[in-house]
Amino acid sequence: MNKPYIIGIAGGSGSGKTFFLKCFLEHFTADEVCLVSQDDYYFPVAHNMTPEENREYNFDLPATIDHEHFQQDISKLFNNETIIKPEYTFNNPTVVPKMLEIKPAPILIVEGLFILHFRDIADMLDMKVFIDADEDIALQRRLKRDLIERGYSHDDVMYKWINHVVPAYKEYLLPYKDECDRIITNNSHVAQDIIAVTEEISAGLRKNIF
């Protein structure tokens, strides 16, 4: 296998990265694309935390990510090696993490908040995609996710948004926006808008890579 084409997908919380990825991956088979998510490389710190300590702990800092392990696994996939690692369970001590087996593929997707800030990773990317959304829309998406899916209180979500999420976005992601190859504004609640963008990008990749 030739060296994979590496796509970096970055976006702040609530920008719609997850939905973009879901739509994008549907254009390829499991043998054609593999995905490495920054979320799977958090240092495990929260299992012994009280709810108050968890509220105060800032997960939106590069130091919370095992950057070395993250970069090493990307390099292994780039060199056509399979990686095996435990999934990240969002600090839920009741969930037993599954072991993830990620096999190399012609297209390697790397996604996460800090992938452009980690310059050794950014320098590996062949294409950089920035998913953007207005702050008020991103906040509403974050509230919906954290209140319903993760069981956080409204006060806790707002505390983290104001003190952790927005400052991290402005310091560790926004400065790299202009160096990205594609900037995709995702303020719409119409799925077809994102589907159309992923169709366009995937068609270009399929033409040039396969």
Side-chain angles (χ1 to χ4, degrees), residues 11 20 26 46 50-51 55 60 95 101 111 114 120 130-131 134 145 165 179 190 192 200 202 208:
F20 176 90
E26 287 177 355
T50 66
R55 179 177 186 263
D60 288 270
V95 176
E101 181 182 28
E111 71 91 11
F114 305 129
D120 53 349
F130 190 105
I131 311 295
D134 290 346
R145 183 198 72 187
V165 176
E179 73 178 48
V190 181
Q192 192 59 41
E200 177 198 339
S202 61
N208 293 311

Side-chain angles (χ1 to χ4, degrees), residues 37-168:
S37 174
Q38 176 192 288
D39 276 359
D40 287 320
Y41 293 86
Y42 276 107
F43 286 112
V45 295
H47 289 316
N48 297 318
M49 285 185 180
T50 66
E52 182 60 29
E53 288 171 335
N54 187 285
R55 179 177 186 263
E56 297 287 339
Y57 186 85
N58 189 351
F59 290 94
D60 288 270
L61 293 174
T64 63
I65 302 297
D66 188 345
H67 169 207
E68 183 178 356
H69 189 188
F70 188 30
Q71 194 277 335
Q72 286 175 349
D73 279 356
I74 295 169
S75 294
K76 285 181 179 178
L77 288 165
F78 181 75
N79 289 307
N80 300 319
E81 298 177 41
T82 296
I83 61 173
I84 298 175
K85 65 175 311 301
E87 70 172 343
Y88 178 62
T89 58
F90 296 97
N91 299 292
N92 186 339
T94 65
V95 176
V96 177
K98 293 182 292 188
M99 295 305 294
L100 304 175
E101 181 182 28
I102 304 175
K103 297 180 179 180
I107 296 175
L108 168 56
I109 298 176
V110 179
E111 71 91 11
L113 178 65
F114 305 129
I115 63 170
L116 303 178
H117 172 75
F118 294 142
R119 298 312 292 174
D120 53 349
I121 293 175
D123 290 344
M124 297 179 72
L125 304 175
D126 297 302
M127 177 190 290
K128 299 172 184 175
V129 178
F130 190 105
I131 311 295
D132 199 12
D134 290 346
E135 190 172 317
D136 58 333
I137 292 174
L139 173 57
Q140 291 307 309
R141 290 172 179 161
R142 170 92 177 203
L143 281 165
K144 182 179 179 181
R145 183 198 72 187
D146 282 0
L147 295 178
I148 296 173
E149 295 179 17
R150 300 186 185 166
Y152 295 145
S153 72
H154 185 275
D155 286 349
D156 284 354
V157 176
M158 292 306 302
Y159 177 87
K160 284 185 175 291
W161 180 264
I162 294 168
N163 294 286
H164 301 167
V165 176
V166 173

Side-chain angles (χ1 to χ4, degrees), residues 168-185:
Y169 173 78
K170 290 180 177 178
E171 182 171 356
Y172 300 115
L173 178 56
L174 195 57
Y176 306 106
K177 180 177 178 179
D178 290 341
E179 73 178 48
C180 292
D181 303 289
R182 295 292 301 262
I183 299 172
I184 299 167
T185 301

